[in-house]
Amino acid sequence: MTTRGVLYVHSAPRALCPHVEWAIAGVLGVRVTLDWIKQPAANGTWRAEFSWQGEVGTASKLASALRGWHLLRFEVTAEPCATAEGERYSSTPELGIFHAVTGMHGDILIPEDRLRAALVRSARGESELEEEIAKLLGKPWDDELEPFRYAGEGAPVRWLHQVV
């Protein structure tokens, strides 16, 4: 079964860009050339987007291939298909990697054992419940990546229109 998704490289130093392409190519088994544009949110860094199609689990393989580089910020998404839920991976140098399972409408699906563990930590006074839920939803990663999600000047724009 195949699925498709998008890899968003939000920021990478110029010297790391070819290594990102090689890592993606290693996972997909085809040569990959990304259209890199300057990332205005962090001087000296570049950003790119790449739509991919592959077997279920490809998003996980892409995230694993990219996760070790300290100066890289990225997200990988996979759409749900007939045999698997969707996925989202987010990674930042400060926070590391976040993984979420997503449903057909893009909502994050949190397994009950993770919810129970959050409740236990909160009940023990180890953390606040609101903080635990925010982590389960990836809010710290969203907060850190938000300034990088906008390509800025010179980015390719795709306009989608709905005809009624």
Side-chain angles (χ1 to χ4, degrees), residues 157-163:
V157 177
R158 183 183 320 160
W159 294 97
L160 302 177
H161 298 279
Q162 181 179 16
V163 179

Side-chain angles (χ1 to χ4, degrees), residues 59-68 74 97:
S60 174
K61 291 175 184 174
L62 287 167
S64 293
L66 298 175
R67 75 179 288 177
F74 69 89
I97 200 155

